[in-house]
């Protein structure tokens, strides 16, 4: 399928390293954007999460993508949407990104298959694996780019959630909200959605499940 239609926009993804998938849609729908004035989508791919965020709030949205063909298509998808005036796409490595202002909400559907064989397509490998940007680096860059009182929201494999939270704690992040996602009732969760903030933890993590 060359495109997906959402309520207010269309996503073309035929030139993107990673196609539209359930993970990105889950994060785009689950993320808390209340009060957000500036949003950064790290590894924006086709622009899916950036556009979902724009559809759900009035914030300024920036998407950053290291793969030039993907970034180009993300730009085209955003320009064709009703939100083109609020979204900008940057082609860059997040580690070299130096914006003038920080962001109060960061979103990322990150690469994560750290211990599996790399797929043969090098673009897909960059998009899908942590060889180029591991959990610790992603969290470090998120911390650098987040404004005081901001949040970082992401989706990762359930089996990696505890390891991810341990890496997050080393960067002074703690989870305020967690949703474990299972594909069917009675099945072990496959994904975990997390909202992280920085500072002293003053209340328990809101933890629920989604099937």
């Amino acid at each position: 399928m060359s495109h997906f239609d959402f309520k207010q926009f269309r996503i073309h993804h035929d030139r993107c390293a990673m196609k539209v998938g359930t993970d990105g849609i889950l994060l785009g729908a689950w993320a808390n954007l209340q009060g957000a004035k500036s949003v950064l989508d790290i590894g924006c791919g086709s622009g899916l999460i950036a556009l979902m965020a724009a559809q759900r709030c009035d914030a300024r949205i920036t998407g950053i993508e290291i793969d030039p063909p993907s970034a180009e298509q993300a730009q085209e998808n955003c320009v064709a949407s009703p939100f083109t005036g609020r979204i900008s796409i940057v082609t860059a490595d997040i580690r070299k990104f130096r914006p003038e202002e920080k962001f109060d909400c960061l979103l990322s559907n990150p690469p994560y298959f750290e211990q599996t064989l790399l797929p043969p397509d090098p673009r897909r490998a960059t998009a899908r694996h942590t060889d180029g940007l591991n959990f610790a680096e992603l969290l470090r860059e998120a911390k650098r780019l987040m404004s005081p009182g901001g949040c970082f929201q992401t989706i990762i494999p359930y089996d990696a959630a505890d390891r991810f939270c341990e890496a997050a704690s080393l960067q002074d992040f703690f989870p305020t909200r967690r949703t474990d996602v299972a594909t069917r009732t009675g099945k072990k969760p496959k994904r975990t959605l997390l909202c992280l903030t920085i500072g002293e933890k003053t209340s328990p993590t809101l933890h629920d499940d989604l099937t």
Side-chain angles (χ1 to χ4, degrees):
M1 190 169 180
S2 64
H3 69 269
F4 281 81
D5 287 319
F6 291 80
K7 286 183 178 179
Q8 298 182 50
F9 60 88
R10 172 173 288 184
I11 290 284
H12 291 275
H13 60 175
D14 54 288
R15 303 198 310 274
C16 295
M18 291 306 300
K19 311 305 181 185
V20 170
T22 305
D23 287 5
I25 295 171
L26 279 170
L27 179 59
W30 179 89
N32 181 5
L33 303 172
Q34 185 175 2
K37 296 181 179 179
S38 58
V39 175
L40 176 65
D41 178 11
I42 302 174
C44 69
S46 63
L48 167 66
I49 294 173
L51 281 161
M52 290 187 74
Q55 181 175 270
R56 295 182 54 217
C57 71
D58 296 325
R60 292 178 291 104
I61 315 290
T62 301
I64 183 166
E65 172 57 48
I66 195 172
D67 179 58
S70 298
E72 181 180 23
Q73 191 153 49
Q75 177 67 25
E76 293 170 3
N77 287 330
C78 293
V79 168
S81 79
F83 318 110
T84 181
R86 291 194 287 118
I87 306 178
S88 59
I89 303 297
V90 178
T91 308
D93 185 329
I94 190 67
R95 291 167 290 196
K96 299 178 181 178
F97 184 45
R98 297 293 184 273
E100 293 183 2
E101 297 181 355
K102 295 188 177 183
F103 300 87
D104 51 34
C105 179
L106 291 86
L107 307 172
S108 184
N109 174 18
Y112 45 68
F113 296 127
E114 291 180 297
Q115 299 178 358
T116 61
L117 295 173
L118 291 174
D121 182 348
R123 289 178 60 215
R124 187 177 174 85
T126 299
R128 202 61 172 165
H129 292 262
T130 58
D131 290 40
L133 186 71
N134 61 35
F135 284 159
E137 290 178 307
L138 173 61
L139 288 158
R140 183 173 62 245
E141 296 307 317
K143 181 178 181 180
R144 176 178 65 84
L145 294 164
M146 193 171 73
S147 61
C151 65
F152 174 46
Q153 303 182 76
T154 187
I155 182 167
I156 56 174
Y158 174 80
D159 289 341
D162 289 343
R163 180 161 47 87
F164 187 88
C165 288
E166 288 175 6
S169 68
L170 296 177
Q171 298 289 342
D172 301 319
F173 281 105
F174 67 89
T176 59
R177 183 181 173 210
R178 172 175 174 164
T179 298
D180 293 326
V181 184
T183 57
R184 294 183 181 182
T185 301
K187 294 287 187 179
K188 177 182 175 181
K190 292 287 188 180
R191 296 287 184 265
T192 293
L193 291 149
L194 286 169
C195 178
L196 305 169
T197 59
I198 291 177
E200 184 177 351
K201 187 172 182 178
T202 57
S203 59
T205 302
L206 297 176
H207 193 166
D208 61 4
D209 300 289
L210 173 67
T211 302

